[in-house]
Amino acid sequence: MKKIFTLLAVMMICGIASAQFAGVMQGQKEEPLPEGFKPASTNTFLSQYPAVNAKTRQAMFRVVAPTAQKVQIDLSGKKYDMTKDEKGVWTCTSDPQVVGFHYYSVLIEGVAVMDRNTEAYFGSNWESSGIEIPEGAEGDYYRFNKNIPHGQVRSIYYWSSINGLERHVNVYVPAEYEKNTDKTYPVLYLVHGWGEDENGWSNQGHMANIMDNLIAAGKAVPMIIVMPSGDIKTNSDVRGASGDVTQIYVKDLIPFIDKNFRTKTDRQNRAMAGLSRGGFQTTSTVFANMDKFAWMGTFSGFFGMRGNEGIENAFNGVFKDAAAFNKQMNLLFISTGTEEGTPKESVEALKKHGINNIVYHESQGTAHEWLTWRRALNEFAPRLFK
Amino acid sequence: MKKIFTLLAVMMICGIASAQFAGVMQGQKEEPLPEGFKPASTNTFLSQYPAVNAKTRQAMFRVVAPTAQKVQIDLSGKKYDMTKDEKGVWTCTSDPQVVGFHYYSVLIEGVAVMDRNTEAYFGSNWESSGIEIPEGAEGDYYRFNKNIPHGQVRSIYYWSSINGLERHVNVYVPAEYEKNTDKTYPVLYLVHGWGEDENGWSNQGHMANIMDNLIAAGKAVPMIIVMPSGDIKTNSDVRGASGDVTQIYVKDLIPFIDKNFRTKTDRQNRAMAGLSRGGFQTTSTVFANMDKFAWMGTFSGFFGMRGNEGIENAFNGVFKDAAAFNKQMNLLFISTGTEEGTPKESVEALKKHGINNIVYHESQGTAHEWLTWRRALNEFAPRLFK
């Protein structure tokens, strides 16, 4: 009897297990981080690097690549040459960064790859490395707060008749949803941008933390937030036009959500917003379905007119009769970062034309990036369903 | 007025948008795939490659790396040299593969990186590329079935007092959970293996499809499945011993789940199972907390004794009194793939010793891999809570 179990012990504990654990143990032998640097919150749990300095807002990177001849970091539009030590470990330190979330790549011999020290963030249509540059107290609104109740993000697959495929959607329900089982809730459809996916608002955007904080503080009404994919996911015919996405939302997704969640189903209780291309999809979807939505937001959403047309004809003439638009739409929230293209003139023109339910928000010092959109959601959500 | 909107249109539609869309459009110009090959289901939605052939079970890979001198694919223990064409696109075709899910890497100049054409699957403690080799009708049990109701996987953060951190956990609730708001459910705690994380059972394991299919067919009791992280997620002190994970499960997670879900809270309605190191964590946790669990499973879980000890002393003597063990534990499910280390002798010895509630399952032709564990869950779940 003893023999059997000894054999098993050797085979299982020493053989398979220790080979696996060896990689982990290496992590424990790493040098301590330089003064002022901490592992980024975007790292996988074993990774000390990339490390960030909250004061200088610099990032340090580390790539193990003994066989490579040239390794660089591509971050915020700048390529940093890395330096190799005698063990084949490459390192570099970045310039100060804007706080918030940034995508970056490792370039190995000029080939852009993911830094496997970070979690994967889907951007530019592939899995990317990301780094969170910490913010001081101002960032509290998007951080996890252990002292308040938390909503849930539910990962759900629904069948799309338009698409002929199962589609993935994430649905946030507020903390109280599970307790008040007779209560129904208003719904915000919240769309990601180009090259990202339905996980972007959760992973890069920290939307659950933002909403938990707003709702717990009584600033926002408890609501359901539906985060669909803004792309046509077929492997064969790549991408359809935005119009096709609108059809999926209106014909497949909204009925599915209204059937499977305790929603308020009238237009006064349905909103839509999106960032970047998702803002563009929001205008396309809402303006063509005014019977279904009464609130909308477009965050860095290329909010302008199509082609050489005036307000009268823009968006199929939705603004032509300003009084009618004002009556139907409770909120047209338009936001941008100050360091990216601004729709300010367009907003002014609309106001002059008599559209009076516009809220215009500028995120100071940020570009076409996630801090702009975290701030936008934080400004937008409290204005809904009131 | 016209001028303003024309300017905006040029800036927004042509300027920002078309630069972004250019990358997408490239995808549409790709050559058609060779006869018999289809994009793998594990790809990102825009990627034609890797492509898989359901008949030959081969995979074709494609990496764009004009500046690299040497590119390989590392799959199932073999390195394939890729061939570069005049545009800098590297390709190769693999040998026939076992069906199911496999991790793989791209080697650029010998540096292992992720193939950014696939979704990210966390394995070996970093984000990895994965490829699903399709199975015929036998694989129906783990595929999405549009004709049955679907459960939800909920992404949840809870506060761990043991860990001093928020921790992520995924919780599957059966399709009927939302409708029967007075009903309580039994709970299975289901743990991943070494180097993977709490998303493994959903992403690599297709557990929601397996459970939806079993429950819809009346083969399994509707149950809640909690999929925690089996690692201590701190960035500073890397990993604790399994014992620490057990404390997190018992003191933080189980009370949190029982508070926030409609669970049956007695031991007859609580099970635990895990794969590989998760099986090892299951034995550690359950045998030390027999007052909390009455069902357990260890899938490829290094099920053997520690050190040179007999059955009497193994696992702190839990098997010493066979009658007592039989009375307490309704099910001890032990499984393995036939192409990996087998605990068969150990199982036989336990049976001879009088442990009579063992179910032993072998997955034919599979090794330490996800098809083994999909099959194990499919065999294990129907035996629970009956």
Side-chain angles (χ1 to χ4, degrees):
Chain A
M1 183 63 64
K2 271 191 176 180
K3 225 177 177 178
I4 291 171
F5 293 121
T6 306
L7 185 70
L8 280 166
V10 170
M11 184 186 78
M12 291 169 178
I13 306 299
C14 305
I16 304 176
S18 79
Q20 290 183 327
F21 279 97
V24 178
M25 293 309 165
Q26 287 177 352
Q28 292 179 323
K29 286 178 207 154
E30 275 181 19
E31 301 283 309
L33 292 171
E35 180 74 21
F37 282 85
K38 283 191 176 174
S41 63
T42 29
N43 292 3
T44 59
F45 70 101
L46 288 174
S47 299
Q48 295 287 91
Y49 291 89
V52 287
N53 187 315
K55 238 181 217 169
T56 66
R57 304 196 322 273
Q58 288 176 293
M60 285 186 67
F61 298 89
R62 185 177 181 277
V63 176
V64 180
T67 50
Q69 295 305 309
K70 189 181 183 188
V71 182
Q72 297 162 295
I73 293 291
D74 188 351
L75 170 69
S76 306
K78 180 171 173 178
K79 291 187 178 97
Y80 298 87
D81 288 328
M82 302 187 88
T83 310
K84 188 184 192 173
D85 73 8
E86 69 283 358
K87 288 176 188 160
V89 178
W90 300 73
T91 49
C92 73
T93 303
S94 80
D95 299 337
Q97 300 292 309
V98 175
V99 297
F101 178 88
H102 305 283
Y103 295 107
Y104 72 95
S105 293
V106 177
L107 302 176
I108 295 182
E109 311 285 337
V111 183
V113 300
M114 199 188 139
D115 181 351
R116 298 175 83 172
N117 291 311
T118 86
E119 298 282 355
Y121 298 90
F122 199 75
S124 302
N125 286 314
W126 59 13
E127 299 289 356
S128 287
S129 6
I131 187 162
E132 179 82 22
I133 307 295
E135 189 164 25
E138 198 203 319
D140 280 349
Y141 73 91
Y142 58 71
R143 280 194 280 267
F144 184 87
N145 179 346
K146 68 169 171 161
N147 300 315
I148 60 169
H150 299 286
Q152 302 176 346
V153 175
R154 303 183 179 179
S155 166
I156 290 168
Y157 289 84
Y158 67 102
W159 184 256
S160 165
S161 57
I162 301 284
N163 206 192
L165 277 178
E166 69 264 30
R167 288 177 68 85
H168 186 231
V169 61
N170 290 313
V171 181
Y172 167 88
V173 297
E176 62 164 58
Y177 187 84
E178 286 290 297
K179 319 262 170 194
N180 305 336
T181 53
D182 291 326
K183 190 174 167 185
T184 57
Y185 292 85
V187 186
L188 163 62
Y189 289 78
L190 185 62
V191 188
H192 62 85
W194 174 88
E196 294 175 342
D197 69 12
E198 66 276 17
N199 302 313
W201 270 108
S202 289
N203 294 349
Q204 288 93 310
H206 295 195
M207 65 74 56
N209 292 345
I210 295 171
M211 293 309 302
D212 287 347
N213 284 318
L214 285 173
I215 293 169
K219 290 181 187 165
V221 168
M223 65 183 85
I224 294 170
I225 300 188
V226 178
M227 293 163 284
S229 166
D231 285 295
I232 307 290
K233 290 204 177 190
T234 73
N235 276 313
S236 52
D237 62 4
V238 190
R239 170 212 302 281
S242 283
D244 295 330
V245 178
T246 294
Q247 292 310 303
I248 291 171
Y249 294 160
V250 170
K251 294 195 177 147
D252 292 328
L253 182 60
I254 294 178
F256 174 86
I257 295 295
D258 284 341
K259 192 182 161 194
N260 289 282
F261 289 84
R262 297 194 314 276
T263 59
K264 293 189 197 294
T265 59
D266 60 307
R267 62 184 292 283
Q268 290 294 341
N269 285 291
R270 194 179 293 117
M272 184 169 177
L275 72 90
S276 191
R277 190 195 61 184
F280 187 74
Q281 289 179 345
T282 297
T283 48
S284 306
T285 301
V286 172
F287 291 157
N289 295 278
M290 298 279 272
D291 59 324
K292 294 190 175 56
F293 301 91
W295 316 76
M296 63 182 287
T298 168
F299 312 156
S300 311
F302 310 122
F303 187 81
M305 306 302 141
R306 295 170 194 177
N308 189 4
E309 60 192 5
I311 279 180
E312 306 274 326
N313 298 318
F315 295 111
N316 293 321
V318 74
F319 296 126
K320 195 172 184 177
D321 182 344
F325 184 87
N326 290 339
K327 207 174 161 188
Q328 278 201 286
M329 198 54 55
N330 300 326
L331 175 65
L332 172 49
F333 180 96
I334 301 169
S335 68
T336 189
T338 55
E339 310 308 302
E340 62 175 327
T342 167
K344 200 170 181 177
E345 278 187 87
S346 199
V347 167
E348 292 304 324
L350 283 173
K351 283 185 175 171
K352 206 177 272 178
H353 181 66
I355 306 295
N356 59 18
N357 45 15
I358 295 180
V359 171
Y360 177 63
H361 167 71
E362 283 187 350
S363 166
Q364 295 303 313
T366 63
H368 205 69
E369 60 187 294
W370 273 99
L371 190 58
T372 306
W373 306 321
R374 290 179 192 169
R375 287 175 176 172
L377 179 62
N378 199 44
E379 293 291 327
F380 174 65
R383 293 179 159 87
L384 291 176
F385 311 124
K386 283 179 179 172
Chain B
M1 184 64 63
K2 271 192 178 183
K3 227 175 176 180
I4 291 171
F5 292 121
T6 307
L7 185 68
L8 281 165
V10 170
M11 183 187 75
M12 291 167 180
I13 305 299
C14 306
I16 305 177
S18 78
Q20 290 184 325
F21 280 98
V24 179
M25 292 308 165
Q26 287 175 352
Q28 293 178 323
K29 285 178 207 155
E30 275 181 20
E31 301 283 308
L33 292 171
E35 180 76 20
F37 281 85
K38 283 189 176 176
S41 63
T42 29
N43 292 3
T44 60
F45 70 101
L46 288 174
S47 299
Q48 296 287 90
Y49 290 89
V52 287
N53 187 316
K55 238 182 216 167
T56 66
R57 304 196 321 272
Q58 288 175 292
M60 286 186 67
F61 298 89
R62 184 178 181 278
V63 176
V64 181
T67 50
Q69 295 305 309
K70 188 181 181 188
V71 183
Q72 297 162 295
I73 293 291
D74 188 352
L75 170 68
S76 306
K78 180 171 173 178
K79 293 188 176 95
Y80 298 87
D81 288 328
M82 302 188 88
T83 311
K84 188 184 192 174
D85 72 10
E86 71 283 356
K87 288 175 188 160
V89 178
W90 301 72
T91 48
C92 74
T93 303
S94 80
D95 299 335
Q97 299 294 307
V98 174
V99 296
F101 178 88
H102 305 283
Y103 295 106
Y104 72 95
S105 293
V106 177
L107 303 176
I108 295 181
E109 312 285 338
V111 182
V113 300
M114 199 189 139
D115 181 352
R116 299 176 81 171
N117 291 309
T118 85
E119 298 282 355
Y121 298 91
F122 199 75
S124 301
N125 286 314
W126 58 14
E127 299 289 357
S128 289
S129 8
I131 188 163
E132 179 81 23
I133 306 295
E135 189 164 23
E138 198 203 319
D140 280 348
Y141 74 91
Y142 59 70
R143 279 194 281 267
F144 184 87
N145 180 346
K146 68 170 172 159
N147 300 315
I148 60 170
H150 300 286
Q152 302 176 349
V153 175
R154 302 183 180 179
S155 166
I156 291 168
Y157 290 84
Y158 67 102
W159 184 257
S160 165
S161 56
I162 301 283
N163 205 193
L165 278 178
E166 69 263 31
R167 289 176 67 86
H168 186 231
V169 60
N170 290 313
V171 180
Y172 167 88
V173 297
E176 62 164 58
Y177 187 84
E178 286 290 298
K179 319 263 171 195
N180 305 336
T181 52
D182 290 328
K183 190 173 166 185
T184 57
Y185 293 86
V187 187
L188 163 63
Y189 288 79
L190 185 62
V191 188
H192 61 85
W194 173 88
E196 295 175 341
D197 68 12
E198 66 276 17
N199 301 313
W201 270 108
S202 288
N203 294 349
Q204 287 93 310
H206 295 195
M207 65 73 56
N209 292 345
I210 294 171
M211 293 309 302
D212 287 347
N213 284 317
L214 285 173
I215 293 168
K219 289 180 188 166
V221 168
M223 66 184 84
I224 294 169
I225 300 188
V226 178
M227 293 163 285
S229 166
D231 285 296
I232 307 289
K233 291 204 177 192
T234 74
N235 276 313
S236 53
D237 61 5
V238 190
R239 170 212 302 282
S242 284
D244 296 331
V245 178
T246 294
Q247 293 311 304
I248 292 172
Y249 294 161
V250 170
K251 294 196 178 147
D252 292 327
L253 182 60
I254 294 177
F256 175 86
I257 294 294
D258 284 342
K259 191 181 161 194
N260 289 280
F261 289 84
R262 298 194 314 277
T263 59
K264 292 188 197 295
T265 59
D266 60 307
R267 63 184 292 283
Q268 289 293 340
N269 284 291
R270 194 180 294 118
M272 184 169 177
L275 71 90
S276 191
R277 190 196 61 184
F280 186 74
Q281 289 180 345
T282 298
T283 48
S284 306
T285 301
V286 172
F287 291 157
N289 295 278
M290 299 278 272
D291 59 322
K292 294 190 175 57
F293 301 92
W295 317 75
M296 64 181 287
T298 169
F299 313 156
S300 312
F302 311 121
F303 187 80
M305 307 303 142
R306 294 169 193 177
N308 190 4
E309 60 192 4
I311 279 181
E312 306 274 325
N313 299 317
F315 295 111
N316 294 320
V318 74
F319 297 126
K320 195 173 184 177
D321 182 343
F325 185 87
N326 290 339
K327 206 175 161 189
Q328 277 200 287
M329 199 53 56
N330 300 324
L331 174 66
L332 172 49
F333 180 96
I334 300 168
S335 69
T336 189
T338 55
E339 310 307 302
E340 61 175 326
T342 167
K344 200 171 182 177
E345 279 187 86
S346 200
V347 167
E348 292 305 324
L350 282 174
K351 283 185 177 171
K352 207 178 270 179
H353 180 68
I355 306 294
N356 59 17
N357 46 14
I358 295 180
V359 171
Y360 177 63
H361 167 71
E362 283 187 350
S363 166
Q364 295 302 313
T366 64
H368 205 68
E369 60 186 295
W370 273 99
L371 189 57
T372 306
W373 306 321
R374 290 179 193 170
R375 287 175 176 170
L377 179 62
N378 198 46
E379 293 291 326
F380 174 65
R383 293 179 159 87
L384 291 176
F385 311 124
K386 284 179 179 173

